Amino acid sequence: MLDLKSYLFDKRQQIDAALHRIIETAPQPKARIVEAMRYALMSGGKRLRPILCLAACETVGGNSEQALPVACALEMIHTYSLIHDDLPAMDDDCIRRGRPTCHIAFDEATAILAGDALLTLAFETLSSRDIRKKVPAEHWLDVISVISIASGYKGMVEGQMRDMLAELQGSLLLSELEALHLLKTGALIEASVCSGALLGLGSFDQIASLKEYSKNIGLAFQVTDDILNVEGDPLIMGKGAGTDRHRCKSTYPSLLGLSESKETASRLIAHAIESLAQFDHKADPLRAIAVYIINRNR
Ligand code: IPE
Ligand code: IPE
Ligand code: MG
Ligand code: MG
């Protein structure tokens, strides 16, 4: 029987150590830009995307050590997206991961640049000579392609754009909100799972099932984020609550109410778990993470 708590703890430690090694080997670790990157990156995030990448790699029988640089790159991209998401021009939030947001702790220009630097460092990490030796180049290129498409204007950035436009536009239709969530949050989660499976040399069939799994958990993750924004404890979440309502965002609770939003999230998670039917116990971490996604309090 899988002990999810210790599984997540071990993986988080492995990822944190790898991120630490990367950031501390910067040519000038005390430079202001590196201080801001470190501040945002090494600040106790859940590391869900990198964990999903490692777990998906193991699910298809791969060695997750080889996926560690990809896991780090995903966390860098995610952290950059949070820094920019919190900026005054976007959600204008002042607390993230239990401390002042990057633009409050430093300044806006530094926060913008720290986001830019983390995004580019992700692709530097993905293409470093060291890791290219261990896995055939064509797999790395597939991974880089999947992650860049998911992060950019066909994925997360488009989702963020729609999120910003929706603030001006008023209430969205549920179908529009679903599409927005699948882009702003789902795309990177899907890329996390698929890149891990690609590096683990998963078959076409395995990757198709994992894609289905990841689409469902990605949407459920953002629905739960919307729910936590209504009823979560800011001290536990390490970020503000009630902010979506304050900014008149369209969210699952604003369109469906809390209890129907929770039912939707549960349905998505049940579907995600069904998509893993072809896998044996190696997929148990992915099954347990799916349940954790809707039961979390941060
Ligand atoms: C928050 O992501 C932003 C969303 C996409 C909903 P997480 O809840 O994974 O944040 P951290 O990484 O644990 O801080
Ligand atoms: C964040 O979405 C999505 C990205 C950073 C891409 P939200 O704005 O809903 O997330 P929180 O609540 O600030 O973490
Ligand atoms: Mg936002
Ligand atoms: Mg936000």
Side-chain angles (χ1 to χ4, degrees), residues 160-180:
Q160 290 286 67
M161 186 76 249
R162 291 189 195 182
D163 186 284
M164 291 295 104
L165 291 171
E167 278 190 21
L168 308 172
Q169 196 181 315
S171 187
L172 295 178
L173 298 172
L174 186 61
S175 57
E176 293 171 325
L177 183 64
E178 179 187 303
L180 188 165

Side-chain angles (χ1 to χ4, degrees), residues 85 91 160 163-164 184 249:
D85 182 71
D91 289 350
Q160 290 286 67
D163 186 284
M164 291 295 104
K184 86 166 178 179
K249 298 254 194 207

Side-chain angles (χ1 to χ4, degrees), residues 85-86 91 93 96:
D85 182 71
D86 291 332
D91 289 350
D93 276 317
R96 172 70 66 183

